[in-house]
Structure formats: C-alpha cells, structure tokens
Amino acid sequence: MTAPGKSPRRIKTAAVKQAKKEKEKKPPRSRLLVKSAGATILLAILVLAGGLAVIYLAPDHGPVVKPVQPAHVPATKIPVFEVYPGEKQALPSPPTHTGDAVPAPSPPAGVGDTADLPSPPAVGQPRIAIIIDDIGYDRKIANRLITTDPALTLSILPESPFRREIAAAAREAGLEVMLHLPMEPEEYPHVDPGPGVLLTGMAPDALIGQLEADIADIPYITGVNNHMGSKLTTESVQLYQIFTVLKKKNLFFIDSRTTENSLCRPSAKKLQLPFAERDVFLDNTLSEADITRQVNQLADTAVRHGKAIGIGHPHPETCRVLADQLPLIKQRVQLVPASMLVTISD
C-alpha cells in the first residue's frame, strides 16, 4: 500500500533523481588521489623549510667534524739514554732533521757482514773504540760523525726515521754499524726506551721475535749494544735467549754498563759470544771541557790496559770535541772499530 497522493512510479523516479544528485556531488577517486599527493608534497616542503631555517638562524659554532684516528708516525724525539750509576746524565739535544743530506742507501747487506772493515792495528799498540749511540734521528749530526773519522762506530736505534740511509752512508764511508738495542730499564714504564724494546715480562717467543725484528731493521750491523737495560741486563734467562740469537747471527755484544749488577759478561762467557764492556762515557755533561777530559781519560785507560771502549752520543758538543781531539789522542793510541776489541772469554 502506498502513501496517499503518490503513485509507486513517482516515488521510484524521485529516488533515482536523488541518487544521481548525490553521485554528482561526490568527487571522483582520481581527484582524491591528486589532492592527497598535493598535501604530502606541501607537508614535505614545510618540513624542509623549517630545517633550513634552524640551520641558517642558529649560532655558527663551526662545522662538526668526526675525529679521524691518526696514522702511525715514527717518533721524532731522541729517546733518553741511560747512564752508569753515579754519573750525571746529560740532557739530549733537540733532534735536527735538516742540514746535510745523507747519501741514498745501497742494497742491504747481510747481518754480520764484516767485509771492507779496517785492518787490525799493530800488535801491542794501545787501541780505543768510540761508539756513538742513539743514531737515527738526526741526519746532519750523523753526517758530521761519518766525515769525522772512518774508525768511529755508529750504533743505530731500531725504527728511527733515518736508520737505513745513515747505515748505508756509514758503511760506504767505512764506519762500522751496530744495533743500539732498547732494553728495559729499572724505571720502566716511567722511562721508556722507545720502539723495539725488549722487556723482562715478555714470553720467550715474543722476546726473540722482537729481537729478530730489531736486527733485521738495521742493515750492515756487525754487533749490538744495549740502550738502557739496567733491569734486563740483570736477568740471566732473557740474556741467554738474546745471546743465543746473536751468536747464531754472527754478531758480537758490547755491554753499555748501565748497571753495576749486569750479568752480560758471565752470560756471554757461558755461550762463548764475542763480548766487551764500555769503559768510559764521554758526554754525561755537555761541557766541552768535560768531554775533552773524558776522551783523554779513554786514551789513558787504553795506555794502561792495552784497550778501552768509550760511548758518546750525537750532541754537537761531542762532535766538536771529537773533531778537535781525535788527531791528538791518535798520536798515543789507535782508533779502531768496536768489533776489534771484543773477545771470547775462556
């Protein structure tokens, strides 16, 4: 039954018209998608604009840079050297990396190679050897020493910046080259011997491995002396390990005598290793008068005992005294490479 006054046909026609009008009012799906994309883009633009405003309006504290870990650079400070108890320690001179160039190195020679060294002196003539330690950080000083006298001996620190070119230049000029082997002092770690150090706490494999690396690091060496080492040279177990390697490689050892308690001599005797000891430190004070006195004391010791070994360092004062005094003391004694004063104890 229908409402009064309206036929079913009229009601249907009115419903169709109303549905058509509502459909025309609803936007198409594509139009909705366009509007949605536009809103997203507008939001992104607003966010970007806000970020730029923060950047440009904020106080300028400079760019933020992520720290970069520095690459390994060899030390350029000459390590402090240790002296015999009771003797005043000289302050090392600042390293110099400029000045006269050292000739380019020749191809490396084998360890223990003694070809072309000066001939032994006449039997019975007093002999001295002068070893200059801590070589490798100053090319100018090294070149001065090389041209001072071909019978000087240079002892070079492992991993020093100019070790190989100085060793090659010294060898070409006829000087003997040694390894200045860093060893643990009593004051370690407060006093650091520098790269390549041998420590009493090292396991045997680690100690021998470091020793072999130090030996391989310096070309043309014929022997070794200790840099510092007031603790390690009192440890017989480590000394036996070290001296066994040196003997196999045909290298001698000279004890710098940085402690009265050194066991180097009995250890070398037990292993029949060519060995000697330092008699005089030349430059524990950097007074040229004191260095001159020490050089003459070295010559006096050789006259009394037939031979003597002195150790100095690459200070300008030491270089000047040697240049002045060597011609004079060589009238009394003969200057020879350190290898000529080592012996094997019976």
Side-chain angles (χ1 to χ4, degrees), residues 13 34 160 174 198 243 293:
T13 301
V34 170
S160 52
L198 304 185
F243 288 176
R293 190 178 302 112

Side-chain angles (χ1 to χ4, degrees), residues 59-71:
D60 184 9
H61 297 292
V64 178
V65 180
K66 184 179 179 181
V68 178
Q69 295 298 325

